[in-house]
Amino acid sequence: MDISLAPVDYIVLLLYVIGLFFIGFYLNKKTSDVDIFLGNRSLSWWQIGFSLFSANAGPMMLIGFAGIGFSQGVVGSNFEWLAWVFLLLLSMFFLPHYISTKISTMPQFLQLRFGKRSYNFLIVYSLISILIIWLGSALYAGGLLISEIFNWPLMRAIIIIAIIATSFTAIGGLKAVVRTGIFQSIIIIVSSIALTCLGIHKIGGIGKLIHATPENYWRLFRPASDPQYSWIAIILGYPVVAIYYWCADQTIVQKVLAAKNIKEGQLGTIFLAVLKIIMPLIFIFPGIMCYVLFKDTAQPDNAYITLIKHLMPHGLLGLCIAALIAALIDTVSSGLNSFSTVFTLDVVAQFKKMDDVQQRKMGKWITVVAAVLAVLIALLFSHSGKGFFELTQGLLSILAPPLSVVFLAGIMWKRVSSLAAEVVLYGGGLVCLIIGACFVLNFPYEGFWPHFLMLSFYIFAGLSIVIVIISLFTKAKSNTALPSLVETNKKFGHNARSVWIRWALVALLMGIIYLIFK
């Protein structure tokens, strides 16, 4: 990748680094005794929204969404424009349930609801998924990108990124992650808007952009016969992964649990839903523009970089590179903080009682250890190649059904028994791993398995039947610590009218968008 940076680009990058460290370190001095795991539960709605945005908008989203836009068009927008449904679930159903039980981590929810064995399962799963997906893969993918831009050795790029993210995360905890996330969200949004506007200007307007692309590039829902993104696969399969990702993933939910109160958390998710409306416009549309301008020379994987290389003037080019680095560092820092939270509060706490000071000290050391492990995993990725990276992504997607089933049933139906949850988690998890491996390896033969989104749905449906049948024939915990969904709504529902009105407005806006792209 041949990108020539001018002195003004390096100045912009330097200013970015200075701003990042100022926010991450200097502002932390005023709150040195802060709870590094949940920030003393003091976050406002806008802090939550921006922090969730920056954690979600990782380097793979910037690069990957542009690639989908280049090769498929707007169909990838479904993964952003349908997310509001699951943010609503988090806001109005899961969050009140979580807050009513005063949990700090997702494994604690399963412990209260289904017991120690389910709790231990999610501890192991959370730590492994954070290390592989949020940390290892992000460091590897981002390291590749940074090493090519600056012509550095891969390991140097990975280590530098890890050191920067670890430094302010270990010292400032969640508060530092949120502060820097806000700063980095603004950089990502501003640079992406600038890139989109320059692309439209270069093409000659939106009308020419539409006419220069195939007709199916502007269809949100493809026919059922489409092998990549059929409407059936999106409608049935995407929710399976989305329920877990948005409603039960530690790295996402932790920021909402840190809200001042339940309403701030709910407004934060609404703010993120609004931000997601613009994400396809500034992440996927650039890929479509790259197809129009450079389809003969570019490839899906380098569409984003090709566009910024040819369109961005010096200065703004530095800002775009800063946005990529910002997306990368925030993804890594969010993963580090979540790993530290789960390990300290759910693993170490089982063997050693600690006061708040000891917990903070332990959390800082665990952050450093997690960073070292993540660098080693990124090193393994570098020797395994892209195939291994895609394998881990595929296995994670197919592992989501048992977790989605258990969390959804756990808050929706008080009758669900511990045995039913354990069978779905351990048995379903094992089945998912086996099916996922066969799916990726094309065993017993290529074409045997359906699209992975449909496969996720079939597994979800099967495990849902299993959890219902076992629960009907076994006894649920008679002294469960969790209230039912009805009881939770009685406690929090009387203050939710204004929040529901805001969600109705979001739904109306999304309906209009889908009518436009009908």
Side-chain angles (χ1 to χ4, degrees):
M1 186 183 305
D2 182 21
I3 295 182
S4 299
L5 299 180
V8 66
D9 296 314
Y10 286 106
I11 292 173
V12 171
L13 288 172
L14 179 62
L15 290 175
Y16 160 73
V17 173
I18 292 173
L20 180 68
F21 278 99
F22 173 80
I23 293 171
F25 284 105
Y26 179 76
L27 295 183
N28 183 63
K29 293 180 180 180
K30 300 178 180 179
T31 54
S32 58
D33 61 340
V34 75
D35 168 17
I36 67 171
F37 306 116
L38 291 177
N40 290 333
R41 298 185 189 266
S42 60
L43 300 185
S44 301
W45 62 269
W46 58 275
Q47 294 174 309
I48 294 168
F50 273 128
S51 182
L52 287 171
F53 174 88
S54 59
N56 181 230
M60 293 310 296
M61 175 175 286
L62 292 177
I63 304 300
F65 269 6
I68 292 176
F70 183 93
S71 60
Q72 302 289 336
V74 299
V75 67
S77 303
N78 286 297
F79 299 107
E80 294 302 300
W81 285 342
L82 292 177
W84 74 270
V85 177
F86 308 98
L87 288 168
L88 184 151
L89 282 178
L90 170 63
S91 171
M92 307 310 295
F93 297 98
F94 282 86
L95 182 59
H97 216 60
Y98 293 154
I99 288 182
S100 68
T101 55
K102 299 179 181 180
I103 62 169
S104 299
T105 68
M106 295 298 95
Q108 289 174 6
F109 170 81
L110 290 192
Q111 181 179 33
L112 289 172
R113 185 65 177 89
F114 299 118
K116 195 65 174 287
R117 285 190 289 268
S118 296
Y119 170 69
N120 288 333
F121 174 91
L122 191 56
I123 289 175
V124 174
Y125 175 81
S126 296
L127 294 176
I128 292 176
S129 65
I130 290 170
L131 275 176
I132 293 176
I133 304 304
W134 285 95
L135 296 175
S137 64
L139 278 176
Y140 173 56
L144 281 175
L145 193 65
I146 300 303
S147 65
E148 291 179 356
I149 291 174
F150 295 103
N151 196 26
W152 289 349
L154 176 61
M155 283 309 298
R156 181 197 297 177
I158 290 174
I159 291 172
I160 289 175
I161 294 164
I163 290 173
I164 293 174
T166 303
S167 57
F168 61 78
T169 305
I171 295 174
L174 183 66
K175 273 283 191 179
V177 171
V178 170
R179 289 193 197 100
T180 55
I182 295 169
F183 170 62
Q184 297 180 138
S185 292
I186 295 171
I187 291 178
I188 293 169
I189 292 172
V190 170
S191 65
S192 298
I193 290 175
L195 181 62
T196 302
C197 292
L198 287 173
I200 292 175
H201 178 74
K202 178 72 173 180
I203 292 170
I206 295 178
K208 289 186 178 180
L209 173 65
I210 295 174
H211 290 302
T213 51
E215 183 182 352
N216 67 342
Y217 265 47
W218 302 100
R219 291 180 180 174
L220 279 173
F221 288 133
R222 300 281 183 87
S225 58
D226 189 282
Q228 294 294 325
Y229 296 103
S230 73
W231 71 270
I232 297 177
I234 290 174
I235 294 298
L236 296 182
Y238 171 66
V240 178
V241 179
I243 288 171
Y244 173 70
Y245 182 82
W246 291 114
C247 302
D249 181 83
Q250 177 67 31
T251 307
I252 296 297
V253 178
Q254 181 176 344
K255 294 174 174 61
V256 187
L257 292 177
K260 291 179 181 178
N261 52 56
I262 186 171
K263 188 169 184 179
E264 291 293 320
Q266 290 171 329
L267 293 178
T269 59
I270 293 174
F271 182 40
L272 176 62
V274 173
L275 289 176
K276 280 196 163 291
I277 293 174
I278 70 170
M279 289 176 78
L281 305 178
I282 60 178
F283 294 155
I284 292 180
F285 277 40
I288 301 175
M289 296 174 197
C290 185
Y291 171 83
V292 172
L293 294 171
F294 309 108
K295 61 175 175 284
D296 295 329
T297 57
Q299 299 293 328
D301 288 343
N302 64 12
Y304 185 84
I305 298 299
T306 299
L307 206 62
I308 66 173
K309 173 185 175 182
H310 288 93
L311 295 188
M312 282 302 215
H314 290 296
L316 285 179
L317 177 60
L319 186 64
C320 272
I321 302 300
L324 287 170
I325 299 174
L328 171 61
I329 289 178
D330 198 79
T331 298
V332 174
S333 61
S334 292
L336 287 172
N337 185 249
S338 294
F339 186 95
S340 172
T341 300
V342 172
F343 198 94
T344 303
L345 300 183
D346 291 321
V347 177
V348 178
Q350 294 190 51
F351 304 98
K352 179 182 179 181
K353 287 189 175 181
M354 299 177 290
D355 57 25
D356 291 343
V357 174
Q358 290 173 319
Q359 282 186 346
R360 287 198 296 270
K361 185 176 181 180
M362 178 63 69
K364 293 176 180 180
W365 281 110
I366 295 300
T367 300
V368 175
V369 172
V372 173
L373 292 174
V375 169
L376 294 176
I377 292 173
L379 179 61
L380 289 176
F381 280 137
S382 69
H383 288 290
S384 300
K386 186 177 180 182
F388 180 70
F389 177 75
E390 291 176 346
L391 173 64
T392 60
Q393 295 293 314
L395 291 179
L396 178 63
S397 297
I398 296 176
L399 188 60
L403 296 162
S404 296
V405 168
V406 169
F407 271 90
L408 195 60
I411 71 157
M412 294 293 184
W413 191 27
K414 201 170 185 177
R415 181 70 179 79
V416 178
S417 67
S418 297
L419 178 61
E422 291 163 11
V423 169
V424 169
L425 289 173
Y426 287 93
L430 178 61
V431 169
C432 286
L433 282 174
I434 294 173
I435 292 177
C438 292
F439 175 81
V440 173
L441 296 173
N442 291 317
F443 181 84
Y445 56 85
E446 188 173 355
F448 177 82
W449 298 101
H451 188 276
F452 76 90
L453 285 175
M454 290 303 301
L455 187 56
S456 294
F457 170 73
Y458 295 145
I459 298 172
F460 177 86
L463 293 178
S464 297
I465 295 172
V466 169
I467 203 169
V468 170
I469 292 176
I470 296 178
S471 295
L472 291 176
F473 287 93
T474 55
K475 188 177 181 180
K477 291 172 62 177
S478 59
N479 61 340
T480 179
L482 291 177
S484 68
L485 189 60
V486 174
E487 292 167 344
T488 302
N489 284 335
K490 285 182 179 178
K491 182 176 181 180
F492 295 105
H494 63 282
N495 292 323
R497 183 178 178 183
S498 62
V499 180
W500 276 111
I501 291 174
R502 289 176 172 88
W503 276 119
L505 293 175
V506 171
L508 177 62
L509 184 56
M510 293 312 306
I512 293 172
I513 289 175
Y514 270 81
L515 285 175
I516 293 173
F517 287 93
K518 183 178 178 181

